[in-house]
Amino acid sequence: MKLHIKKGDTVIVNSGDCKGQKGTVLEVLVKKNRAIVEGVNMVSKATKPSAQNTEGGFVKKEAPIHISNLMVICPETGKPTRIGRRVEGTGKDSKIVRYSKKSETKKEIK
């Protein structure tokens, strides 16, 4: 299944407890339709003392958030946008590129 979000995209959360928060996508979990976004949806996780962490205690980390709750931020306008796909080139040289539906230039999003 193709998703509109990739690792490295800057996204904004459009619903839920973290609504309005921005961050960079660290990882996309394709089979679960979820993404881990830097600094968004933070949870406290209890850890036992170990060789690396002799104290143990609570660690704050990002939890996955559903893809449908995220929108990519357009690099040109800086506003949330929907993502489209189009084929560029012909024959063997063709490739599918993502583009912002809000920007007038419809430039490729890396």
Side-chain angles (χ1 to χ4, degrees), residues 73-90:
I73 295 179
C74 178
E76 284 184 33
T77 61
K79 295 181 180 177
T81 181
R82 291 176 295 139
I83 298 294
R85 285 193 182 84
R86 67 172 172 246
V87 178
E88 286 189 352
T90 56

Side-chain angles (χ1 to χ4, degrees), residues 74-76 84 86 88 97-101 103-110:
C74 178
E76 284 184 33
R86 67 172 172 246
E88 286 189 352
V97 295
R98 300 182 311 150
Y99 68 94
S100 167
K101 290 197 172 188
S103 69
E104 294 84 32
T105 59
K106 306 285 187 203
K107 285 176 104 176
E108 177 183 349
I109 294 178
K110 302 282 182 193

